[in-house]
Amino acid sequence: MKLTSMTISLLSLIAGCTSATVIPSFDYASTTLGVYNSGLLNVGQLFVWDTKANTLTRLDEVPFPSHPSNKSIPTTLIASKISSVSFNVGLDATVKASASAAIKDNVSIEVQNGSREEYGSTITLISNEIVRKRNAGEDVDRAWLLKPAAQPGSALAYVLVRGIVISDKAQLVARNSVGGKLQLEVPGKNGATETIDLSKESLASCAGSKSPCFLSFQVLRAYINERGNYDFEPMRGVSNTQIGDLLKTL
């Protein structure tokens, strides 16, 4: 069954003892469409990631072309396998794990009039911006930590927003609804049953014409190329969940 994100209420038919309601937050949640853009980031936004300290620092927006390299035809898209969801402070770890699994298995986001926009030649775009900043008298080397990032074995990497899913509207969709209502139940402590309540999640970043709903990323390592200039190469194996968790710390 489907309900709009503004009206969703996840209720439960509870037998026995009841614990406090579980309230999830979708801030920078990871999905099959990318990371939910709760911070309304733009394509071209650049971050430096200290992989040792696991911290993320926001840098500048790299200017991107006005039109993407690839754009899909607007249609209905489904963001499933939702993870990296946050919960009430102090929530029991076992309950949190059960709630996370229930959301991942049963809840998805239906994006209406959704379109993927991806940009190519991103390394060239970053390099061009370095040159532009230097010519403008800006100390981009210091501001972007380029020298330490380009050292062999450096713990610093760069995270770039390289693509976006735009939409006009989004709604939550849940499987296994009970009694005509959207319901999820998860085991609580001491035999209790927990209620997962999504009624406060508005998915505001997906509402409105061509809203920047989901983000895709490119992670890059810096190095010095044969011409003695800063260059970049992709860093493989970084998941959307990792990036989403980093973005939550900003």
Side-chain angles (χ1 to χ4, degrees), residues 146-204:
L146 288 169
K147 185 175 181 179
Q151 295 297 315
S154 174
L156 300 179
Y158 294 92
V159 178
L160 176 71
V161 179
R162 69 164 302 168
I164 201 161
V165 172
I166 59 173
S167 72
D168 293 342
K169 185 180 179 182
Q171 59 184 13
L172 292 175
V173 179
R175 299 187 305 163
N176 302 321
S177 58
V178 179
K181 296 180 180 180
L182 187 62
Q183 300 175 342
L184 288 181
E185 296 178 348
V186 296
K189 297 178 65 175
N190 302 319
T193 301
E194 298 280 358
T195 300
I196 304 177
D197 179 10
L198 294 181
S199 62
K200 295 178 175 58
E201 179 53 62
S202 65
L203 298 177

Side-chain angles (χ1 to χ4, degrees), residues 8 14 23 30-31 45 72 92 99 108 113 149 159 193 202-203 218 220 226 228 246:
I8 282 181
I14 301 175
I23 302 176
S30 173
T31 79
Q45 179 62 59
S72 64
D92 178 78
S108 59
N113 204 29
V159 178
T193 301
S202 65
L203 298 177
Q218 185 176 33
L220 301 165
E226 59 187 12
L246 285 166

Side-chain angles (χ1 to χ4, degrees), residues 5-248:
S5 56
M6 294 298 293
T7 60
I8 282 181
S9 178
L10 286 168
L11 306 174
S12 55
L13 302 177
I14 301 175
C17 182
T18 304
S19 297
T21 299
V22 177
I23 302 176
S25 167
F26 280 58
D27 282 359
Y28 295 118
S30 173
T31 79
T32 53
L33 288 183
V35 173
Y36 174 61
N37 189 16
S38 55
L40 296 178
L41 301 174
N42 296 318
V43 288
Q45 179 62 59
L46 186 66
F47 303 87
V48 62
W49 173 24
D50 186 328
T51 61
K52 185 176 181 179
N54 205 34
T55 57
L56 198 68
T57 302
R58 187 169 181 169
L59 300 178
D60 302 308
E61 282 188 20
V62 176
F64 269 35
S66 56
H67 298 289
S69 304
N70 296 291
K71 182 176 181 179
S72 64
I73 298 173
T75 187
T76 299
L77 301 173
I78 301 297
S80 60
K81 297 182 179 179
I82 301 170
S83 63
S84 191
V85 176
S86 303
F87 296 96
N88 320 44
V89 175
L91 184 67
D92 178 78
T94 302
V95 176
K96 180 179 178 180
S98 297
S100 295
I103 290 173
K104 186 173 183 178
D105 292 342
N106 294 284
V107 179
S108 59
I109 301 172
E110 182 181 281
V111 178
Q112 299 179 14
N113 204 29
S115 177
R116 297 176 182 268
E117 297 184 352
E118 294 287 339
Y119 293 79
S121 302
T122 52
I123 292 175
T124 299
L125 293 172
I126 294 173
S127 298
N128 289 344
E129 181 63 1
I130 291 173
V131 172
R132 187 198 68 79
K133 283 181 172 293
R134 283 176 173 171
N135 290 341
E138 298 183 39
D139 190 359
V140 65
D141 299 56
R142 181 191 59 79
W144 287 12
L145 302 178
L146 288 169
K147 185 175 181 179
Q151 295 297 315
S154 174
L156 300 179
Y158 294 92
V159 178
L160 176 71
V161 179
R162 69 164 302 168
I164 201 161
V165 172
I166 59 173
S167 72
D168 293 342
K169 185 180 179 182
Q171 59 184 13
L172 292 175
V173 179
R175 299 187 305 163
N176 302 321
S177 58
V178 179
K181 296 180 180 180
L182 187 62
Q183 300 175 342
L184 288 181
E185 296 178 348
V186 296
K189 297 178 65 175
N190 302 319
T193 301
E194 298 280 358
T195 300
I196 304 177
D197 179 10
L198 294 181
S199 62
K200 295 178 175 58
E201 179 53 62
S202 65
L203 298 177
S205 295
C206 298
S209 178
K210 298 182 178 180
S211 295
C213 195
F214 295 95
L215 304 170
S216 60
F217 297 87
Q218 185 176 33
V219 182
L220 301 165
R221 289 280 194 187
Y223 68 97
I224 303 296
N225 63 25
E226 59 187 12
R227 299 183 301 277
N229 298 322
Y230 290 115
D231 211 335
F232 302 86
E233 59 185 1
M235 178 177 167
R236 311 294 182 185
V238 181
S239 68
N240 280 339
T241 298
Q242 285 178 271
I243 295 176
D245 286 342
L246 285 166
L247 289 167
K248 294 178 198 295

